[in-house]
Each structure stands twice: as C-alpha cells, then as structure tokens.
Amino acid sequence: MIKTKTTTLALLIASSMMLAACGDGNDGKDGVDGENGQPGVPGQPGGNGLNIDMADEAIANISSARYENGIITVDFSLENSQGVGLIGLNGTNPFHDFRFSLAQLQIKDGTELKQWFSLLNETTNDAGTTFEQGFEKINDCPECLTDHQDGTYTYTFNTNLTTADDPAGVTFDPQLTQRIAIEMQFEYDSGHELAENAHFDWIPSTNASEGIETRDLVTMQTCYTCHQPDSLKAHGGRRLDMENCQSCHNGIVTDPNAISVELGHMVHAIHMGPHREGKDSEGNVVPMPYTIAGYGGAHAFDYPAFPTKPFMDCAACHVEDDTLADKDLWLANANANACTGCHTDKPAQHKSDKNPELTCTDCHSAAVHNDHAKPYQAAKAYDAVVTNVAISVANEISFDMKIMDEAGNLVSQAEVYKQGYSKPYVVVSWDVEKDYPDFDQSPYSQRRIDIKDPAKATWNSDNSVSVKVAMNFPSDIASRSLEVLPVLKVCFEEDSANRVSCDATNAYPAYVQTEAYRTILNDTATVVAKRRAIIDEQTCYDCHSYEFYHDSNGVNCIACHTNDKKLGAVEDANGDALASGEMKSTSFMYKAHKAQGHDNGHGGSGTILKTDCTTCHAEVEGWGGKAYGFELGRNAGQAHAVPSFIPGKNNDPALTPAATWYASSDAASCISCHQKYLSDAAMAHMQNNGAYFGPDKQEAKDAKEACATCHSPEKIMEHHGHQL
C-alpha cells in the first residue's frame, strides 16, 4: 500500500512539471511531413461463401462436363443446405480427401445385358489378375482444381484417357455413357466429418446428358425400407449413393481372390446370408456363405440376412417403380453373374453337367422368381368371414366361418393346412383397446381354437365351419370389445394360384390375410377399432414381404403375444434352454424390439434397423402424429411380464430360476431393450418417478409414471442418435 501511494505521488509531480513547461509557449516548430509509402501488392479477392472447413454439411452437384483430346473437365458446386457456397476446397489440405471416379456403360451386342465398367482401374493382387476401381484425387494433383471462390469449382482430369494403359483392359469410348462420380470424406482431428457423393452421366462425343442410356434397377430409398441410411454408409462412410455403388461395384472388379464384387452379384449373395449353399469338390451340398477378402481380411456374410420367408421375394427390392428406366431389367435373363450371387458358382440345385459354362439363363428364366409369390398373391384375395357370433350363459362362444376364394367359392377342409406348429387357428380376444385380455384370466392357449379339432369345430357339408368352445370370459363380456381373428393357411400348387389338397406332393401353403371380426355383442352398431395405431404395418410388409414369422395374418401379433404373457426360456443355438435359467419376455413389444436384425444397439450386423424407431413407428400411422407411437405415458394401466433378473448381471445363485415380475408400461418399454444394461441407478430413477418393477402385477397396473414429463419423443429419439 505504501509503495503504491509513493508511485502515484511521483507521477502527479512529473505531470505538473510538464504542464508548467507547456504554459511557457515554447513548443517549437512542426516537423516536415514524411513521403507517402509505395502501394502494397494487390491481394486475392475475397471469397463469396462459407469456408468448407467451417461447414456442418456439404451438398455436391456436378453441373457439366467437357471432353477434348482424351481429357475430361468437370464443373461442380459445393454448398450447405441453406444454399451457401462452400469455398476453400484445396488439394494441399491433408483433410480434404476429395476424389473422382469414372465408369462407362457397356451394352453387350444382341442381348439386354448392360453393365458399368470402371476406368482408372488398379490391380488388387500381386499377379495383376484382379482389379478395383481407381480414382483421381485432388491431393495428387492440386493444380488440377480451380476454386472460383463462390462455391463452384472446376477439375481437369490428370489422366489422358486415350493414352492411358488401363490394367484391366477397359478402353475408353467417348460415344458411350460415362459416369463421373464424386466421393468426398473429410475426417478432421476434432472428430468432425464431412461426407458426400454426387454423379453425372453424359456422352462425351455429343455432350448429351438427357435421354441417354443408363442403368436404373433399384433406388437407395428402397434399400432404406429395411436398412438405415447410417448403416449403408459403406467403406467407413465414404460411399452413400446407389449410383456411386454401381460405378465402383461393376462388371470388372473383384477381390484379390477373384470373387466378384459386382453390385448385382454381391447384393444377392450377401442377402442369402447363412442360406447360401453350394457343392464342394466331392459334390456334397455344403454351406457356402459369400466370403470376400477385404482390407481387414476375409469376411463371411454368414449371419441372418434377408428376412422374407419362406422364399426370397425379389419384389421386395425390385419394386414396380415407373421412374426407374430399367425396373424390369432383372427379368431380362441377362446377367448370369447375379444368379450365382444367390445360387453360388456351384449351385446345389444344379443336377446336370450339360452346361459347363454355367450360363444359368440358357435354361432358366429370371421370371420364375415371381412364380414363388403366386400362392401368396392368390391368398391375398381370399377371405375368412366370421358370422353368428354369440356367447352363452355357460361361457361358450359359438360362431360360423366361411373360407372363400375371390369368386366366393368355399375352401374345403382338405385344402386348409395343418402340420406341426402350423395349425388353422381362430384366436378369440377382448379388450382390444386395452392391449387384449389379461393373461391370468384367459391364457392364450385357451383363447386359441384349432378349427381342425373335431371337439371344437365342425366342418359342414357346404365347407362352412361351425365352432363352439367354452372359455373363461369376464362376466361383462357382452359390453366389451370382442375380436375373432382367423389365422390359417390355404394350400396351392407350388408357384401357382391354383388351389390344391394339402396332401398333394406339390402343395404350397400360404397365409390368408383377412381382417379380424370385431364387435360389441350388446351394441353391434358400434364400430370397434383396431388396437391403437403404434406402428405403420406397411413397413413390416415392405421388409418382410408376405410372412413375418409364424401364424401370420397381418400385424396382429399382440393378440397372442400379450403384454403379460408368461416368460419363455432363453435358448442356445440348438434350441435348448440355457443352464443359467435366463428367462425372457414373450410379449409383442419385447419380441419386436429384440428380434434378430431389429436389435442392433448392442451387437448384430449393424445394417438392419439399428436404433431408429421411425423405421417401424411411422408418422402417418403413429399415435398423436409426431409422437410416432413411442410417446410415453400413453398406455397406463398395463402390466408387462419381465424376468426378475438377468443372470450374469445379477449373478446370485439363490435367484435361479428367474421369477416372473411385472413392469409398468413406460418402464417396460425401456426394459424391452435395455434391461440387461440398466444400472441400479437407472432402475431407481424410474421407480422414483412412479414406475414399477416387481412381483405385484396390480401395482404395475396402478403405477403413476411421470416419465413423459421429461422424456419427450424428441428427446427419446435424440438419445438414440436420431432426430424427430
């Protein structure tokens, strides 16, 4: 403090002396002005846009291309979603991984076969006998790129296509359709990424880009029926668009072991999964999953794949889309390489040596793949009509049923399928709006009526069926919603719409898809709705085709797999119960969330559904619009059967086997996916906010959950890595 005061005093004394000097009027003359300096070097004009390194996203578009004397020049733009140009792309920037590929469309004379063949090819094995598509990278030729400082760029290829020696022997032809494709993937040290694809098809000799030959069989949007966009960002997120996949996975490329990775072959082979089989060197039929040698070593696609059963429904991908110029090309019997994708190069189905070249289409037509669907397509026009429903004072339900074809002809008992687990059932339910009957009152096994069981059903001479069965109905059943759901198969000739007796050697059973009969017995004028709309049922059909799993009449799974249905044993790969005594829920919600391919939050292939709830919970059909059917708090009063513990997590031998506990609705929705991973703190958090998890079923029903207060649909989606 003393030092500070002293310093301040000295400054005041000095200041007063200076002021005194100024007061004398002795300030001297002004100096001479200095000379002006030389003008500086003109700088580069400023850019009009956002620097690409500051961008959260990039949208690429190729506007035009030019060809002269073997050299291609391409004009393209980069912008964000607001249309602001992205400037600053530079080949000297190590983060700017930006590249171009070329492919040309070749048509085989006298056939309908047309395929992309890559240019700029590189060899993939030491012998120089296998090839992959090469690229021109701006990092290899920074001077080839011109930044116009407004989000537009020009790139001049460094390769002269008339003098370059392609190792795969592909000769550039300027009169054919050429595809220029952009691949960009910036991976910054901060973890931020930018990835984008774009393509441009044009004929260099005429400079035409409209009305030219191309190859459009499927769209990426069709792939998104089952897959999620994130899961199809191949090669570490570099490949995003179908057109880029086509130009790279073309008719010339293979892995180092000469296994084709042409898109048609590869996609068919991958989707066969563990069902792909062939013959070994001794002629034995053996599993032959598609196996390719990648950068990480050999990879076999031997896990569950294409979910359409019991046959491969080609129309799931090859959809009727008039915007696709080549939507019917897959039926043209042109590309035998696509055939061996499914059937292997030594197909188990092949019983002859007459065709050593194995050009499948010499003998077979791709059109036969449509024939497999004919029984299902025919069954869609069939109907099972329920009439005369009544419930007696003795709790006997009676009704009549007619199974009819499109013309109204009745199906005979011999034409209705029954074998093993697959029986012609009618499932009786009530309280549809409350997620179906309480399991304790009437288990599913009691509500399921086998219409070929003579103790329950009588087949009349006109092929109608009369049913009478005692059941444990609630006392006020006449005022409750009642549902009678037929679940049955009719037999057709294989690959045909012709109905046949089920004991015929060529009999093929297909499910009849018919609406359930719903009524309120003492108020038949009331229209009884389906269970509340939670999922868009069409999304199930789009991915699974005609049949989901078993006993399939639409998406009515909860009629059997109710929330409080008994637990089932967790089984090993052989179908045997685990020695640990681990148990699982058998409710519809649990089974849908945990089905193979659906549950990829913890393991799985990573390519099907992942954790994007909107794959099944669609906006159009969802509960309350944008809630998409996963709005919490909407289903109070329900009890969901769950196991009391998970062996390995709660490893207490005294708990074995797991007991049946119950969870309130919101807690159950989380448990259906996460029970094995929930911490004690997470469970306590749910319970502290009104959820119930324990042995008392009624307490689960009475729970007053407050989860929806904080956990909005938007936040739930954000937590799962997506946006609503």
Side-chain angles (χ1 to χ4, degrees):
M1 292 294 291
I2 295 173
K3 183 177 181 181
T4 302
K5 288 182 178 179
T6 303
T7 303
T8 303
L9 181 60
L11 287 172
L12 289 171
I13 294 170
S15 298
S16 64
M17 292 174 67
M18 293 171 64
L19 289 170
C22 292
D24 293 340
N26 241 345
D27 55 351
K29 296 181 179 180
D30 293 337
V32 178
D33 293 339
E35 296 181 1
N36 293 330
Q38 295 296 318
V41 178
Q44 294 293 324
N48 181 21
L50 175 70
N51 189 283
I52 195 168
D53 292 328
M54 303 294 291
D56 293 327
E57 59 191 344
I59 300 170
N61 179 62
I62 299 176
S63 57
S64 63
R66 299 174 297 284
Y67 171 75
E68 185 176 1
N69 298 325
I71 301 295
I72 290 176
T73 301
V74 57
D75 298 314
F76 65 97
S77 63
L78 298 171
E79 62 183 26
N80 63 16
S81 58
Q82 285 76 43
V84 177
L86 303 181
I87 63 176
L89 178 67
N90 194 315
T92 63
N93 189 323
F95 294 115
H96 290 187
D97 185 350
F98 198 99
R99 54 184 72 177
F100 298 87
S101 66
L102 294 173
Q104 68 182 10
L105 187 68
Q106 298 183 189
I107 302 175
K108 186 175 181 180
D109 290 341
T111 75
E112 295 184 74
L113 177 63
K114 53 181 179 178
Q115 289 181 294
W116 291 105
F117 284 84
S118 52
L119 300 163
L120 313 176
N121 292 297
E122 299 175 354
T123 57
T124 55
N125 64 9
D126 294 337
T129 56
T130 60
F131 312 97
E132 66 180 2
Q133 185 183 57
F135 299 88
E136 284 224 2
K137 305 175 184 179
I138 65 170
N139 298 132
D140 294 337
C141 187
E143 65 275 14
C144 295
L145 179 70
T146 300
D147 182 355
H148 300 296
Q149 293 294 306
D150 59 358
T152 63
Y153 299 83
T154 299
Y155 181 83
T156 301
F157 276 72
N158 193 39
T159 302
N160 187 312
L161 296 171
T162 59
T163 60
D165 183 17
D166 189 287
V170 180
T171 301
F172 172 73
D173 186 343
Q175 298 184 45
L176 298 178
T177 299
Q178 305 291 329
R179 172 168 291 173
I180 305 171
I182 287 175
E183 289 184 5
M184 66 170 285
Q185 185 183 33
F186 300 175
E187 295 180 318
Y188 298 95
D189 290 339
S190 64
H192 176 55
E193 291 189 20
L194 280 180
E196 172 66 338
N197 288 171
H199 75 282
F200 182 76
D201 294 352
W202 115 111
I203 298 177
S205 63
T206 64
N207 211 36
S209 59
E210 300 289 339
I212 62 177
E213 281 284 357
T214 184
R215 190 174 186 271
D216 289 331
L217 276 78
V218 295
T219 67
M220 187 64 84
Q221 195 60 42
T222 302
C223 301
Y224 293 157
T225 301
C226 295
H227 296 268
Q228 288 302 322
D230 284 348
S231 71
L232 289 182
K233 292 180 179 178
H235 300 278
R238 182 182 304 282
R239 313 280 161 72
L240 310 171
D241 293 349
M242 178 67 72
E243 293 80 7
N244 286 57
C245 298
Q246 288 175 331
S247 59
C248 188
H249 290 274
N250 58 73
I252 201 72
V253 295
T254 71
D255 80 344
N257 297 323
I259 301 297
S260 174
V261 292
E262 183 255 334
L263 191 64
H265 179 92
M266 181 179 71
V267 169
H268 288 123
I270 288 174
H271 284 94
M272 282 295 288
H275 306 293
R276 192 173 187 262
E277 58 183 20
K279 292 182 178 179
D280 62 15
S281 58
E282 298 178 356
N284 301 309
V285 177
V286 295
M288 198 175 285
Y290 184 56
T291 304
I292 55 175
Y295 293 109
H299 180 82
F301 291 90
D302 55 358
Y303 40 80
F306 203 43
T308 63
K309 297 289 184 292
F311 62 91
M312 304 298 276
D313 184 7
C314 307
C317 297
H318 294 285
V319 297
E320 284 292 327
D321 185 344
D322 291 335
T323 64
L324 294 173
D326 302 301
K327 65 182 178 64
D328 296 324
L329 187 61
W330 69 282
L331 297 171
N333 306 330
N335 186 7
N337 193 37
C339 304
T340 57
C342 284
H343 299 286
T344 78
D345 56 351
K346 297 178 181 177
Q349 296 86 347
H350 203 263
K351 299 181 175 68
S352 172
D353 294 326
K354 296 179 181 178
N355 190 4
E357 296 299 321
L358 246 164
T359 306
C360 315
T361 53
D362 286 352
C363 302
H364 305 286
S365 168
V368 301
H369 292 85
N370 277 346
D371 292 342
H372 295 314
K374 287 181 177 178
Y376 278 89
Q377 292 168 344
K380 287 177 67 175
Y382 279 55
D383 200 2
V385 179
V386 174
T387 58
N388 304 322
V389 178
I391 298 176
S392 71
V393 294
N395 263 358
E396 283 186 326
I397 185 170
S398 60
F399 57 87
D400 298 321
M401 186 170 68
K402 296 179 180 179
I403 306 165
M404 299 183 295
D405 64 16
E406 189 174 15
N409 301 310
L410 269 63
V411 177
S412 70
Q413 182 177 7
E415 295 167 330
V416 176
Y417 186 73
K418 178 177 180 176
Q419 182 174 324
Y421 187 87
S422 195
K423 299 175 183 178
Y425 289 131
V426 173
V427 181
V428 177
S429 304
W430 50 94
D431 292 346
V432 176
E433 71 284 0
K434 297 179 182 178
D435 283 0
Y436 291 83
D438 190 290
F439 188 83
D440 294 336
Q441 180 182 47
S442 189
Y444 162 63
S445 59
Q446 295 179 14
R447 297 186 292 108
R448 183 183 63 198
I449 303 169
D450 180 355
I451 62 171
K452 279 201 169 185
D453 183 345
K456 299 178 180 179
T458 301
W459 285 78
N460 304 311
S461 58
D462 65 350
N463 286 327
S464 64
V465 186
S466 298
V467 175
K468 181 179 285 188
V469 176
M471 204 169 292
N472 187 29
F473 291 104
S475 59
D476 59 346
I477 184 62
S479 62
R480 300 194 184 200
S481 58
L482 181 70
E483 178 180 280
V484 180
L485 173 68
V487 183
L488 53 92
K489 291 180 179 179
V490 171
C491 292
F492 299 87
E493 292 178 357
E494 189 173 9
D495 300 339
S496 167
N498 299 323
R499 198 165 66 248
V500 70
S501 174
C502 292
D503 59 8
T505 56
N506 65 340
Y508 188 96
Y511 284 109
V512 174
Q513 306 292 312
T514 185
E515 283 291 324
Y517 172 89
R518 297 183 182 91
T519 190
I520 296 176
L521 292 176
N522 65 4
D523 186 9
T524 55
T526 298
V527 177
V528 181
K530 296 180 180 180
R531 177 185 179 235
R532 67 192 184 284
I534 294 177
I535 59 173
D536 180 358
E537 296 183 4
Q538 187 57 46
T539 63
C540 304
Y541 286 110
D542 288 343
C543 196
H544 291 273
S545 187
Y546 299 98
E547 182 177 329
F548 305 141
Y549 186 57
H550 62 239
D551 290 354
S552 180
N553 175 16
V555 193
N556 292 303
C557 309
I558 195 171
C560 305
H561 294 279
T562 55
N563 297 330
D564 58 346
K565 190 177 181 181
K566 66 180 181 180
L567 301 181
V570 176
E571 301 169 341
D572 60 20
N574 298 319
D576 299 322
L578 296 179
S580 64
E582 185 171 349
M583 303 293 284
K584 63 183 178 182
S585 172
T586 59
S587 71
F588 179 35
M589 180 172 67
Y590 177 90
K591 293 178 77 69
H593 287 170
K594 298 294 286 185
Q596 278 186 322
H598 290 202
D599 176 31
N600 277 310
H602 301 277
S605 68
T607 57
I608 304 174
L609 299 187
K610 299 191 74 178
T611 55
D612 187 351
C613 313
T614 58
T615 300
C616 299
H617 295 281
E619 178 180 359
V620 174
E621 297 292 335
W623 175 272
K626 282 246 176 185
Y628 290 88
F630 48 86
E631 180 185 28
L632 297 177
R634 73 189 183 283
N635 196 29
Q638 295 296 308
H640 297 250
V642 293
S644 59
F645 76 102
I646 299 292
K649 178 188 176 185
N650 311 99
N651 194 11
D652 184 352
L655 296 176
T656 306
T660 298
W661 277 17
Y662 297 93
S664 49
S665 290
D666 289 355
S669 64
C670 298
I671 286 174
S672 65
C673 285
H674 299 289
Q675 184 177 5
K676 192 171 185 178
Y677 310 97
L678 285 173
S679 65
D680 292 338
M683 292 298 298
H685 171 75
M686 289 191 288
Q687 291 170 322
N688 289 337
N689 285 277
Y692 178 80
F693 173 71
D696 193 309
K697 187 174 185 179
Q698 191 58 47
E699 284 196 45
K701 291 183 176 182
D702 294 340
K704 305 298 182 185
E705 297 174 305
C707 309
T709 304
C710 298
H711 297 284
S712 66
E714 290 80 5
K715 288 185 177 180
I716 292 172
M717 285 298 292
E718 183 179 353
H719 181 71
H720 287 86
H722 301 274
Q723 289 186 339
L724 196 58

